[in-house]
Amino acid sequence: MDTKAYVEQEDRYGAHNYHPLNVVVERAEGVWVYDVDGKKYLDCLAAYSAVNQGHCHPRIVKALRDQAGKLALTSRAFRNDQLGAYCKKVSELAGLPRVLPMNTGAEAVETAIKAARKWGYDVKGIEKNKAEIIVFENNFHGRTTTIVGFSNDPDSYGGFGPFTPGFRLIPFGDIGAFQAAVNENTCAMIIEPIQGEGGIIIPREGYLKEAYDHCKANNVLFIADEIQSGLGRTGKMFCYEWDNIKPDGVIIGKALSGGMYPVSAFVATEEVMGVFFPGSHGSTYGGNPLACAVASEALAVIEDEKLVEKSAELGPYFLEKLQSIKSDRIKEVRGRGLWLAIELDRPARSDCEALKELGMLCKETHANIIRIAPPLTITKAEVDWASDQVKSVLESPALAPA
Ligand SMILES: *Cc1c(COP(=O)(O)O)cnc(C)c1O
């Protein structure tokens, strides 16, 4: 089968809830992916930052293989020999004592919502069913009905109501709006320290700390959704470290498994996690030994290969190279660590198509933003190469749509 046949088959039988570039990938190694015609591409999306460690990292593949042949699933009805060590590792990394393992990012966000509400009733003393959680315009926290209910992107929520009440949606980056939104029923805020799907939106310096201080002063939980921003992407292990704050809860996923398997977690203080008792929350696959073995190894790879440091080092270099591109289509180039965005004054789809032809995979977000988020294992030479491709596309008027 050729590319066209694969595309036709998928479009004929699959639901059309995505609009992928027509590249049919069949294998991958590190930062490179290969399509069914044998053409090679530099992956500059890294599965929305799930593949920070690079594709098919040999250590993570081995962990998966070894564990799959021994024990894959017990459910939490019984214990398994991988869970404790895994939780210890995540807890130490996040600097928070308790870990609740889940599978997908959205499930971990749901877990955080449940924990925050119950904490609001059990600990803060909010009146029954009155708890409010503050969330931010332009957010992306996943696709469940509750979560899309507090999205302000019509594509995400349109047609899926009625929605769960108890969320207050306010502008991102506006401290006055945040302070005004907090009241005695506010149990938590859930925030992406940098909005990823929103287009790598970085709040002004000081904002997160001010919001955090206001949370502390008003007994409100600060919960960071680090599913995309965490695990090295921004040049720190967690993005919130840039702001010198200590969240009450952190949500992680994506690169937690290095792209090998769906693994997510909600990590929190004793007080927050203390609201759960046996039977109050769970997941059949959450904390399964295969997930734990894979994630433990994926985290060890981030540490051993110093991927956080690499992101901190190469990110600013990449940013500078992209900022030096001269094109009247570019509105702004921004980023932190190896998480970069080129905002255009027009839809970016055709530029992503052009980059694909040159062997570089990027996917537009919000129509006019090209996000660049390669595996953190990318080399300086590969950054140079990628910058050259972007330059050739964006400095070429022929490829610009009218
Ligand atoms: C990807 C993402 C999610 C959802 O994760 P899934 O695994 O797709 O459910 C939630 N929050 C953020 C910030 C994300 O980037």
Side-chain angles (χ1 to χ4, degrees):
M1 266 165 71
D2 62 359
T3 295
K4 191 163 163 286
Y6 281 104
V7 169
E8 278 170 9
Q9 187 181 54
E10 183 185 318
D11 285 352
R12 166 72 181 77
Y13 293 103
H16 290 186
N17 57 328
Y18 279 92
H19 181 33
L21 292 181
N22 286 335
V23 52
V24 182
V25 177
E26 89 178 344
R27 67 188 174 89
E29 199 183 326
V31 297
W32 297 97
V33 302
Y34 300 82
D35 74 7
V36 290
D37 303 322
K39 190 174 167 189
K40 155 181 173 178
Y41 304 84
L42 182 71
D43 182 359
C44 282
L45 181 63
Y48 301 94
S49 295
V51 193
N52 287 1
Q53 298 87 338
H55 287 275
C56 299
H57 193 290
R59 280 178 58 184
I60 311 175
V61 170
K62 183 172 188 311
L64 180 89
R65 283 212 173 104
D66 290 352
Q67 189 60 41
K70 267 173 72 183
L71 177 70
L73 181 63
T74 54
S75 87
R76 297 289 301 278
F78 312 118
R79 296 181 188 264
N80 71 69
D81 70 345
Q82 299 294 312
L83 181 59
Y86 163 69
C87 288
K88 177 169 186 275
K89 192 157 190 69
V90 173
S91 160
E92 285 169 358
L93 203 72
L96 283 163
R98 296 275 164 192
V99 181
L100 200 159
M102 298 296 281
N103 312 284
T104 67
E107 282 178 319
V109 172
E110 290 276 357
T111 302
I113 291 168
K114 287 172 75 173
R117 285 179 165 183
K118 200 156 185 330
W119 174 88
Y121 303 123
D122 295 0
V123 179
K124 184 166 175 173
I126 296 172
E127 198 186 318
K128 192 179 168 194
N129 290 337
K130 289 273 165 59
E132 287 180 11
I133 295 176
I134 296 175
V135 292
F136 298 87
E137 287 171 9
N138 216 23
N139 70 69
F140 182 84
H141 296 288
R143 299 294 196 168
T144 63
T145 346
T146 289
I147 294 171
V148 299
F150 58 79
S151 165
N152 66 310
D153 173 6
D155 285 354
S156 292
Y157 70 77
F160 299 124
F163 297 119
T164 314
F167 296 94
R168 243 176 196 256
L169 185 69
I170 63 163
F172 182 71
D174 178 344
I175 192 64
F178 178 67
Q179 288 166 343
V182 170
N183 62 46
E184 75 276 10
N185 291 330
T186 311
C187 60
M189 67 182 280
I190 300 182
I191 193 163
E192 299 159 85
I194 291 177
Q195 291 182 325
E197 294 315 292
I200 325 290
I201 310 295
I202 306 170
R204 77 164 160 79
E205 195 168 339
Y207 167 73
L208 289 172
K209 180 73 167 78
E210 289 160 28
Y212 176 77
D213 289 343
H214 196 70
C215 284
K216 291 297 109 183
N218 290 276
N219 202 19
V220 169
L221 302 176
F222 186 105
I223 296 175
D225 180 345
E226 292 266 3
I227 291 172
Q228 194 166 155
S229 57
L231 304 178
R233 177 53 59 189
T234 69
K236 302 269 188 199
M237 186 58 83
F238 295 102
C239 186
Y240 67 73
E241 291 170 36
W242 285 102
D243 295 271
N244 228 349
I245 55 186
K246 209 171 163 358
D248 304 282
V250 177
I251 308 163
I252 48 180
K254 293 202 167 109
L256 184 50
S257 69
M260 203 60 65
Y261 192 83
V263 187
S264 69
F266 177 54
V267 197
T269 60
E270 294 284 357
E271 190 182 272
V272 170
M273 212 64 99
V275 303
F276 290 119
F277 55 84
S280 59
H281 191 54
S283 160
T284 303
Y285 276 84
N288 75 72
L290 189 57
C292 293
V294 165
S296 294
E297 195 68 6
L299 292 174
V301 166
I302 293 177
E303 291 175 316
D304 295 348
E305 298 190 3
K306 304 212 176 324
L307 296 183
V308 179
E309 293 83 346
K310 277 200 70 182
S311 177
E313 214 178 276
L314 275 182
Y317 175 74
F318 205 164
L319 181 64
E320 206 175 291
K321 294 216 91 172
L322 295 175
Q323 282 174 335
S324 73
I325 295 172
K326 287 175 190 54
S327 163
D328 55 6
R329 279 129 73 198
I330 296 179
K331 267 176 74 181
E332 188 184 35
V333 180
R334 56 178 175 265
R336 190 171 285 169
L338 280 168
W339 213 22
L340 307 151
I342 306 169
E343 185 167 342
L344 304 184
D345 66 359
R346 66 194 73 183
R349 180 78 184 191
S350 62
D351 300 291
C352 291
E353 302 272 7
L355 284 168
K356 184 198 84 173
E357 292 308 313
L358 293 174
M360 175 168 165
L361 295 184
C362 300
K363 178 71 170 67
E364 76 277 7
T365 179
H366 276 243
N368 64 324
I369 299 167
I370 306 174
R371 165 178 30 198
I372 300 188
L376 307 181
T377 53
I378 193 169
T379 64
K380 197 168 176 210
E382 287 159 346
V383 165
D384 288 337
W385 182 84
S387 306
D388 288 345
Q389 309 317 304
V390 175
K391 185 178 160 79
S392 85
V393 166
L394 291 181
E395 288 186 355
S396 146
L399 290 163

